[in-house]
Each structure stands twice: as C-alpha cells, then as structure tokens.
Amino acid sequence: MRLTGVHDAALLTAAVAVVSFVVLGHAYSSFDGYISPDSANYLRLAERLLDGHGFHVPSDGRDGPSEVWFAIWPPGYSLVIAAVSWVTGASTFLAAKMANVAIFSGSLFLLYRFLGRDSLIAGTLLFSAGTLHIFSMTWSEVPFLASLIFLCLLMGGILTGDRELRGVFLWTLPVIIVLPFAFRYIGIFVLVPVGLVALRLYRDGRSKDALRLVLAAGVAVLICAAYLGHNWLQTGHLTGIERIPAPESHSALFNSFAVALMRELALPVVSWTPANGVQSVVVAIWALGGLFVGTQLLRAGPAPLELRVKLLSLVFLIVGATYLVSIAILRWYTHFDPFSARLLDPGFSLLTIGATIWMLNAFRAARGPIIAFLLATALLSVSNHAASILSRDGFGTYATAREAAIARYAMLPDDAIVVFGENELRYLRPDVQIAYPRFRPYSADDEDWQSFLETLQPNVPVFIEVGPRASMPNRYHPSVREAVATMPRNTVTLLQR
C-alpha cells in the first residue's frame, strides 16, 4: 500500500516534525545532550570507525594492550551512527540524533506500508512518554525496537501469505532475523517467536515454508554463534566482559520489576513517580479516560476478526511477550541495569501496538473512543516532553557545554590515560584510555586506590578528572574516595604516581 491520501501524508509529516522537535530539542537544550555512559561508548566506537580503527577502542588503561575489541555491546548502532555521520558530514553526536529521527519515522512508515491507516493510529503508541524518551537518548534500543517491528511485520506477512518464502526475500531473511542481535545481544530471543511461526506454518500444512523458515533461522544462529565466538577469542568472554550474577534477592527483583512495569503502564509521563503531584494528576485523568474506553469496549462487544489482522496482531503480542520474559529472566540471574522503561519498553511497545491493532478491528463500534484516547495519550506525552524542553535555559546549552569540554580535554596527548573520565571524553577524544577502580556489584570487590594505580600502564601519562563520576556516593573503596576528596574538582590534572 502506498501513501495515497493527503491526510495520510500530512499525518506522517506531522509525526516526523514532532519527533524531530522532541529528539533535537532534548539534545540541544540540555547540558549532557541526553548522552548516558552507554551512549558515549556507542559514539566512541562510531568515531573510531570513522577514523579507520575498525571495531577496536582504547583499553581501560590497565597494564596490557592499549586497544581492545569492542564487545560489551554489539556494534550495530555505532555502525548506523558512523554511516549517517559519513554521509552527512555531521558530528557523531548529531548523526545519532538524526538516525533516531529517521528510525522513528521509518518505523511509522513500515507500519503504514504493511497495515494501512490503522497502523497510523497504533503508531501513536510510539509517542508514549517512555518511548519518546528512549528515542531522545543515544541508545541501541532505538534501532532494536525498529528491527523488532520490522520482523513482526515480516513474520505476520509470512503467516498471512502476503510474503512468499522464496527468492531474494528468503536469502535475506537470515540477516533480518539477526538484526535485533546486531543491536542488543538479547535480540537472539527472536529465534523463539520465529520458531513458533514455523510451527504454525507446519500446522497449516505449509511444511515447505516451515522448513525454509527453520533453515533461515539456522543460518541466523550460525551468524550469531560465529560473532560470539569471535568475541570470545578476542576478549575471553562471549559478550566482552564477565557477567556476574545478580546480587539482589528474588523479592527485590520482583519489586523492581513491578515498579518498572507500573511506570511503563503510565504512558503519558516518563518514569511516573506517585509522589509527584502533577504527574499523578495527569496519570489519574488519563486512567479515567482509559476506564471510559474500557466500558465502551464492553458495550460494543468483540466481532470476528479477519484472519490477516488476527495473525498480524498475534505476532506483535507474541514477540513482545517473549522479549519481556527473556529480559526478565536474564536480569534475574545476571547483573546489569535495574528494571526500567529502557529495558521494558521494546516489549511493551510491541504488546500495545498488537493489542491496539486487534481492538481497532474487533471493536469497530468503539473505534471513535479508542482513537480519541490514543491521540489524547500522545498529546499528553508530547506536551510533557515539550514542557521539559522549553523549561530549560535554551537550545544552545549543549553546544556551550560541548565547547567547554573540548577546551578542557585539548591538552591531553592521544596516548594518555584519564582516571574517572566523564562521558564527553569518550567521544570527543576517542583515542584516550579511560580507567576506573573496580567497584561492586559490577566486580567481586572494591579495589583500593594504591592497588588500582599499580595496575595502570607504565610510562604512559596519567591524568585524573574529578567530576560527578568520581564523586558518586557509596561507590568505590574508601581509600579511593579519600584520595579524590583532596583533588581539585571539575578539572583535568596530571596525576602523580
């Protein structure tokens, strides 16, 4: 289906304009540019790729090789950023934001291309506050979610017969299955729903298609295994570093998951905090609107669904649910970031899109209230982000902070080691090594200051940047905090060893 209506084109254009304002507005009106530590590492690898260093980045300053293979995260997102930067000539920072806008817009267009105008309604769920926040950041969840939407649409098309498993599509299918893995290691979970689709094909008497899909999935497994094996040869670990067990109790993890899920359910606000009166009022009004729509659905009653719509919505629901189960199990037994919208949003977005497609077609008598509720949700969410952007000092804030950071790091030689380097250092000076003392729970123990210094590479100039990262409360060994407390803050100085 092509864009045929002026209204459809206008809606898509308006959506692109809104997401551009939110993403670029957050980036340039904040001091940090909506760059987290993970974001800085993606940008760092993109810079290294553009400089011809391949997938190698500076090490952690410890005695040993000065460069290491980038394996803590898959390199897919950094490749996208580097490609946009190379084509446009933009900085990697701006290229990442441009890529996010393009990926968001592409996701909406794909939904429209496969599902028609109903997808524009379901696509408003991508404007939920949590999802817009993720797209405003420089996180791999952005292309990861887009790749899952693409995979859902293709798997749905295979089930409905709209996509034939033959020719170029069949040969490229293994790459499409691998795409989520190329952005996040958890993306290997898609083999489960792909296997379920193959089973459904076999049950429907399409044994040849089932076999072709299984073979494509098998090739995808080999690609993933080869990449993980190469990581192991380069770093000694399948995913770059040792992944330690989760230190939390089962009850603590359950509470964390429940709170994150509750916050994710509050679509109009980012990370809803019940103690925040304004947020709670917005959520309460929005929830009442949801209850009203629920009553309209009960009155209308469900109608039989066209098989195509049923299968497409079912694929979204299965992939979304499988992701949530996979990420919950992985976090239950491995330590990494706590449960949050960032972890849950990809699965939750797929669930809500699938459920919306189903409701729009099963409850046609209540389409008006459903559409009004979704548009109101998107409007509240966008208003929330707009208020956050406009309440800041101005759109030159990040540019000013960036220039200050460039000046601060100008005196560093390329072979330097910087202890406690801040986020900006990672991508503004991508050739510099950044070192930190080990700390729990990411390591088995808290490393003392003297032991840490003794592990650094000899005959290499070592500097220290005492900023927010160096002063995080309850992090590092007491001797580290004592040493840092005597040093000048917010400057980069030569460290005497």
Side-chain angles (χ1 to χ4, degrees):
M1 181 182 297
R2 296 181 179 179
L3 287 172
T4 56
V6 174
H7 293 95
D8 296 348
L11 284 172
L12 285 170
T13 302
V16 173
V18 168
V19 76
S20 299
F21 168 75
V22 171
V23 172
L24 297 176
H26 278 310
Y28 284 98
S29 67
S30 61
F31 281 103
D32 61 6
Y34 270 46
I35 298 294
S36 73
D38 290 358
S39 308
N41 281 302
Y42 297 131
L43 293 179
R44 189 186 207 191
L45 178 59
E47 291 280 357
R48 297 282 289 182
L49 287 166
L50 290 169
D51 290 340
H53 295 279
F55 297 104
H56 289 87
V57 294
S59 71
D60 60 359
R62 307 276 177 158
D63 196 8
S66 59
E67 289 189 348
V68 295
W69 178 258
F70 185 91
I72 298 178
W73 302 280
Y77 188 35
S78 294
L79 278 168
V80 172
I81 296 169
V84 174
S85 177
W86 183 76
V87 169
T88 64
S91 68
T92 53
F93 170 82
L94 177 57
K97 306 305 181 182
M98 293 167 63
N100 287 5
V101 172
I103 290 168
F104 188 101
S105 306
S107 299
L108 281 179
F109 181 80
L110 281 173
L111 286 168
Y112 183 90
R113 174 68 176 79
F114 279 79
L115 300 173
R117 292 182 177 179
D118 278 359
S119 68
L120 295 180
I121 302 167
T124 58
L125 291 160
L126 295 177
F127 286 88
S128 69
T131 305
L132 276 180
H133 175 73
I134 288 172
F135 273 84
S136 298
M137 302 294 295
T138 300
W139 284 342
S140 59
E141 282 78 5
V142 171
F144 178 72
L145 174 56
S147 67
L148 291 180
I149 290 173
F150 186 39
L151 185 66
C152 286
L153 293 170
L154 289 181
M155 289 299 108
I158 291 170
L159 283 176
T160 60
D162 294 339
R163 291 278 162 178
E164 294 185 1
L165 279 166
R166 62 181 72 248
V168 175
F169 176 60
L170 179 59
W171 287 104
T172 57
L173 189 55
V175 176
I176 295 169
I177 295 173
V178 167
L179 267 182
F181 174 84
F183 300 117
R184 292 181 65 202
Y185 288 125
I186 188 67
I188 202 167
F189 89 92
V190 301
L191 293 170
V192 174
V194 168
L196 293 175
V197 170
L199 285 175
R200 174 65 187 242
L201 291 173
Y202 181 78
R203 197 193 77 172
D204 290 347
R206 298 167 60 185
S207 55
K208 289 185 178 180
D209 283 344
L211 178 60
R212 292 187 184 111
L213 185 55
V214 168
L215 289 175
V219 173
V221 169
L222 292 177
I223 295 172
C224 294
Y227 186 80
L228 293 174
H230 186 264
N231 280 351
W232 184 79
L233 291 174
Q234 290 285 335
T235 67
H237 302 282
L238 292 177
T239 56
I241 59 173
E242 182 182 4
R243 306 288 178 170
I244 65 174
E248 301 95 337
S249 65
H250 291 305
S251 60
L253 285 166
F254 178 81
N255 290 337
S256 175
F257 181 76
V259 169
L261 185 60
M262 178 187 69
R263 288 177 168 175
E264 185 68 9
L265 285 168
L267 299 181
V269 298
V270 179
S271 192
W272 172 38
T273 303
N276 185 311
V278 175
Q279 284 188 350
S280 294
V281 169
V282 171
V283 171
I285 295 172
W286 171 80
L288 288 173
L291 288 174
F292 171 76
V293 172
T295 61
Q296 299 305 303
L297 296 182
L298 291 175
R299 285 184 181 180
L305 277 178
E306 178 190 350
L307 181 61
R308 179 177 180 274
V309 173
K310 182 178 180 180
L311 291 174
L312 284 169
S313 60
L314 186 62
V315 169
F316 274 93
L317 293 171
I318 290 175
V319 175
T322 306
Y323 169 79
L324 288 176
V325 171
S326 300
I327 197 68
I329 292 173
L330 185 63
R331 182 59 183 87
W332 222 269
Y333 295 101
T334 308
H335 181 67
F336 50 94
D337 290 344
F339 287 116
S340 64
R342 181 182 179 185
L343 290 186
L344 301 185
D345 187 80
F348 196 79
S349 293
L350 298 179
L351 285 176
T352 51
I353 289 173
T356 301
I357 294 169
W358 174 74
M359 285 189 296
L360 287 171
N361 289 274
F363 299 90
R364 288 194 169 274
R367 282 174 66 90
I370 294 172
I371 294 171
F373 179 69
L374 292 174
L375 291 176
T377 301
L379 180 60
L380 285 171
S381 170
V382 171
S383 299
N384 184 4
H385 281 279
S388 175
I389 293 168
L390 297 175
S391 66
R392 302 193 186 111
D393 292 336
F395 287 95
T397 304
Y398 170 75
T400 301
R402 180 188 176 97
E403 291 302 317
I406 290 173
R408 187 164 66 250
Y409 300 136
M411 40 76 71
L412 293 172
D414 286 342
D415 63 343
I417 297 172
V418 178
V419 180
F420 300 120
E422 293 294 327
N423 286 347
E424 295 80 11
L425 177 63
R426 293 183 183 274
Y427 62 95
L428 293 177
R429 294 297 305 274
D431 294 330
V432 169
Q433 299 179 73
I434 301 175
Y436 301 96
R438 292 191 302 270
F439 57 91
R440 292 177 293 182
Y442 291 92
S443 298
D445 62 338
D446 290 327
E447 186 176 28
D448 69 82
W449 182 244
Q450 191 57 42
S451 297
F452 163 67
L453 294 179
E454 291 172 357
T455 67
L456 299 179
Q457 295 172 15
N459 305 318
V460 175
V462 178
F463 295 80
I464 185 167
E465 182 178 14
V466 183
R469 181 169 295 279
S471 308
M472 297 182 74
N474 303 319
R475 178 173 284 191
Y476 309 118
H477 190 274
S479 63
V480 175
R481 297 197 293 270
E482 291 171 6
V484 169
T486 63
M487 298 179 184
R489 292 183 58 81
N490 300 320
T491 59
V492 180
T493 57
L494 187 66
L495 182 63
Q496 301 298 324
R497 292 190 281 172

